[in-house]
Amino acid sequence: MTDQAEWTIEIRDELGLVRRFAADKDELVLGRSTQADIQLELPTVSRKHARLTRTAGSWKIRDLGSMSGLLVNGQKSTEAEVGPEDLIEISRFQVRLSQGRGSSVSPAAGATLISRDEREHERPDISVLTHVSPPKLDISFISALNDFGHELAEIESAPARLERLCDIMGGEIIRAKWAMALRVDAEDPTHPIEQLAVFRQPSLDREDLHLSRTTIRAMQESGSPVLANNFKQDSGVVEMSIVSQAPAAAAVACPLTDEQPPMELLYVSLPPMFGSTEWLALIALAAKQYQQAEALWKVRDAAEARAAIERDLANARQIQRSILPAHVEPDGMEVAWHFEPCDAVGGDLVDVVAMPDGRWALVIADVTGHGLSAALATLAVHSIVQTGLRSGMPLPRMMTMLNNHLCDYLPEDRFVTMICAAVDLSSGEIECINAGHHAALVFDAAGETRSLQEAEHLPLGLQPDELTSSRDRLEINELLFLSTDGLTELPVDGGKLLGADGVKDLVLQAGGGDDAVSMLAEHLVDELERLRGEHPRTDDQTFLMARRRPAD
């Protein structure tokens, strides 16, 4: 067998770059993979493309199921005997075998650039210009890009993060000639491209920066990173739209955002030896690190915004809680109430107000909608109700004034339903005004019910109107019950609503008889929660109950 050191494998690419490898193994795999014995860094080369196997005095080459195939002396082949006289073609690479110790070099010795004129000869005499061999990826690159992602997570300025992304393209990992972060309008190709950040090697002038719109369009159409170059192409690589006289170069365009229009992207110009799918993957990974950092900063910003909103809502909740009635024990009446907004704050109002004439006003109101805007409206309602009733203003006049105020200031799509019932505890007389609300209920000791004034008036805030009251009487031990539609519209089994009859039944089942009103309210809340079950809370839930007792 011939000495192994006497064989040399010569690899020549389309640009004339020649590399020579000592054939120091009986089997050598050629392919795009970094694990191949001889790496051919082009996307059209399969990861394990072909295998050279030493035979007695010669070699055999075999296709390993590659996508683009194998040519031996211009003929497509899956397996063939080859020697120094044979030309092997793998994609744009020419492979030749030669014998003789003088021709044997190691891969680290570099590469030879052959002029285009000399490439016309089968075995030319060459002038050499030493170049760096195409680099192979290793774990240190991935580790460095992970560190880059952590670094971005600490940079607060968004423009500074873009600058850092461009800078790392020109560093030891990617080694780009230049890189730009751009913003383009996908719907208007004539719209100027906006430069957001840039890096270029110190040896380059501004005039050396040429953008390929073809490459950018290919990226926009695919929505994915693309690799392009301006030298001869095989399928799978985009041809760059730059002048043919320009030096050989490769480029990668990589989307940074999903929004269209406009779209932000990273455009990287590479030396031709780095125009491989491995470098495309590296740049895409760097862009992914950037995107993940941007997503993290958006989450942080959103968290800070939510924290500010939470602080505002907490303050609003505290203000709304402050207007709820304090624990009151009028001589001759037991009072209990419940207020549960479906959000942090709500649009329901409950109040118990002592009037100058000795009566007690029981108030319940419901502003359309819920949340902060509805809660703000309840503050206005509470202020006017408190001011009017405590000043001794007649009930109809106070409600009319409130209605006129809401007509002037509420948005057109908002209104307020409300009941105000003033109870004289000595006589039991009730003066009641109902503005668009479902009726208040009176439960007697025997469990019979009747309604007070039905909704004779429109809800407040719809149109100016004079509101009038009706009269009734609350006997000793009778229970007056007011609630908002968060009870009647409570979803129960099968998606049905509880309804007015369901509310009546719950009040009777929860206590009834002569039980303390506070105990009755607790039982009612428990039953409402049981019925709601797993249904989400969709509306504020408020009720007010008062039982007339003999005065001390």
Side-chain angles (χ1 to χ4, degrees):
M1 181 180 292
T2 306
D3 194 308
Q4 293 180 3
E6 294 179 353
W7 286 98
T8 299
I9 299 173
E10 179 184 280
I11 308 292
R12 185 185 306 184
D13 67 14
E14 169 63 18
L15 296 179
L17 188 66
V18 175
R19 290 176 291 156
R20 294 188 178 93
F21 299 86
D24 53 2
K25 296 166 62 176
D26 287 340
E27 284 193 353
L28 295 166
V29 173
L30 292 78
R32 182 165 47 86
S33 171
T34 58
Q35 304 302 314
D37 299 297
I38 298 176
Q39 188 179 13
L40 307 177
E41 294 183 0
L42 279 179
T44 50
V45 177
S46 297
R47 296 186 65 83
K48 291 185 177 181
H49 199 107
R51 178 185 291 115
L52 275 168
T53 304
R54 186 190 301 270
T55 63
S58 64
W59 292 79
K60 179 183 292 185
I61 190 162
R62 181 180 180 184
D63 188 288
L64 298 179
S66 65
M67 291 185 296
S68 57
L70 177 72
L71 296 180
V72 177
N73 299 322
Q75 301 295 317
K76 190 171 183 64
S77 178
T78 57
E79 186 172 348
E81 294 280 344
V82 291
E85 70 278 10
D86 296 309
L87 173 64
I88 305 164
E89 293 178 81
I90 298 176
S91 183
R92 296 198 305 270
F93 295 96
Q94 295 182 355
V95 181
R96 289 186 182 273
L97 294 159
S98 61
Q99 278 185 293
R101 293 183 182 273
S103 63
S104 179
V105 295
S106 69
T112 306
L113 185 65
I114 304 174
S115 72
R116 292 183 180 273
D117 291 336
E118 290 171 334
R119 273 183 268 155
E120 301 301 320
H121 304 287
E122 183 178 356
R123 301 285 296 182
D125 295 325
I126 60 172
S127 301
V128 298
L129 178 64
T130 302
H131 285 253
V132 178
S133 298
K136 296 184 179 182
L137 304 187
D138 59 42
I139 191 63
S140 65
F141 289 2
I142 308 302
S143 177
L145 288 181
N146 284 333
D147 292 342
F148 166 65
H150 294 309
E151 181 185 351
L152 289 179
E154 301 301 323
I155 300 176
E156 294 186 14
S157 166
R161 293 193 294 272
L162 268 179
E163 290 283 356
R164 184 68 187 105
L165 174 63
C166 290
D167 287 347
I168 201 171
M169 294 296 108
E172 290 300 317
I173 304 174
I174 308 298
R175 288 178 272 184
K177 294 192 293 185
W178 56 268
M180 284 186 186
L182 306 170
R183 182 179 290 127
V184 298
D185 190 336
E187 295 184 351
D188 184 2
T190 64
H191 194 276
I193 296 176
E194 180 183 356
Q195 177 183 304
L196 305 177
V198 64
F199 163 85
R200 69 173 181 267
Q201 296 291 352
S203 60
L204 292 179
D205 294 327
R206 176 71 186 180
E207 291 74 19
D208 295 324
L209 277 56
H210 301 285
L211 282 174
S212 165
R213 284 187 177 269
T214 301
T215 306
I216 293 174
R217 282 196 297 271
M219 182 214 66
Q220 290 173 316
E221 291 170 1
S222 68
S224 303
V226 298
L227 171 69
N229 60 39
N230 65 341
F231 41 89
K232 184 179 178 181
Q233 297 298 314
D234 289 331
S235 60
V237 181
V238 178
E239 185 171 358
M240 294 167 63
S241 56
I242 63 177
V243 294
S244 59
Q245 293 82 5
V252 168
C254 190
L256 297 178
T257 60
D258 295 328
E259 294 85 1
Q260 292 192 37
M263 169 185 270
E264 292 183 7
L265 64 103
L266 176 67
Y267 189 101
V268 183
S269 179
L270 298 162
M273 65 175 59
F274 300 132
S276 68
T277 53
E278 281 78 4
W279 250 243
L280 174 64
L282 269 181
I283 294 170
L285 178 57
K288 180 61 69 176
Q289 295 282 34
Y290 170 82
Q291 290 172 320
Q292 290 174 349
E294 290 302 290
L296 175 62
W297 278 105
K298 285 182 180 179
V299 170
R300 288 181 181 177
D301 293 343
E304 290 180 2
R306 282 198 302 271
I309 293 172
E310 288 296 330
R311 288 193 295 272
D312 291 341
L313 287 176
N315 292 334
R317 184 164 53 245
Q318 184 176 359
I319 292 171
Q320 188 168 54
R321 290 287 177 183
S322 71
I323 69 173
L324 294 173
H327 179 67
V328 292
E329 294 182 354
D331 186 19
M333 187 168 63
E334 288 183 283
V335 179
W337 54 268
H338 173 72
F339 169 75
E340 186 65 46
C342 69
D343 293 327
V345 290
D348 283 0
L349 173 69
V350 58
D351 210 352
V352 181
V353 184
M355 302 172 67
D357 60 7
R359 294 185 299 170
W360 286 84
L362 307 178
V363 181
I364 201 157
D366 186 355
V367 180
T368 51
H370 39 77
L372 190 56
S373 60
L376 291 174
T378 65
L379 295 179
V381 174
H382 174 265
S383 178
I384 293 174
V385 168
Q386 285 277 330
T387 301
L389 293 179
R390 289 185 182 277
S391 67
M393 188 180 295
L395 202 60
R397 183 179 170 192
M398 184 276 294
M399 290 286 283
T400 299
M401 180 181 68
L402 174 60
N403 180 48
N404 292 338
H405 174 80
L406 295 176
C407 285
D408 289 338
Y409 293 102
L410 269 186
E412 291 185 359
D413 61 341
R414 292 294 176 95
F415 56 85
V416 180
T417 65
M418 179 173 168
I419 294 178
C420 185
V423 183
D424 185 336
L425 297 181
S426 60
S427 66
E429 184 181 52
I430 303 173
E431 183 183 11
C432 181
I433 298 181
N434 185 330
H437 207 85
H438 57 266
L441 301 175
V442 175
F443 294 79
D444 64 20
E448 298 296 325
T449 62
R450 67 181 186 277
S451 300
L452 298 187
Q453 182 191 54
E454 300 288 346
E456 294 181 2
H457 304 289
L458 291 174
L460 306 178
L462 291 179
Q463 66 179 39
D465 197 7
E466 291 289 329
L467 279 75
T468 59
S469 60
S470 64
R471 304 281 173 166
D472 206 299
R473 181 179 175 82
L474 187 65
E475 302 293 343
I476 298 295
N477 293 329
E478 285 189 328
L479 179 75
L480 178 61
F481 182 82
L482 299 82
S483 66
T484 61
D485 58 12
L487 274 68
T488 56
E489 296 179 5
L490 176 70
V492 292
D493 293 338
K496 297 185 298 184
L497 302 182
L498 183 59
D501 290 340
V503 173
K504 288 181 186 179
D505 293 340
L506 282 184
V507 174
L508 291 172
Q509 294 168 11
D514 200 35
D515 290 344
V517 170
S518 59
M519 185 180 298
L520 177 59
E522 290 178 7
H523 290 323
L524 181 55
V525 171
D526 291 343
E527 282 299 300
L528 290 171
E529 285 299 299
R530 182 186 66 80
L531 287 173
R532 184 171 68 87
E534 298 300 321
H535 293 286
R537 196 183 300 278
T538 58
D539 200 0
D540 306 329
Q541 196 175 87
T542 307
F543 64 79
L544 171 63
M545 55 179 64
R547 193 190 299 277
R548 188 179 172 215
R549 295 295 193 184
D552 292 337

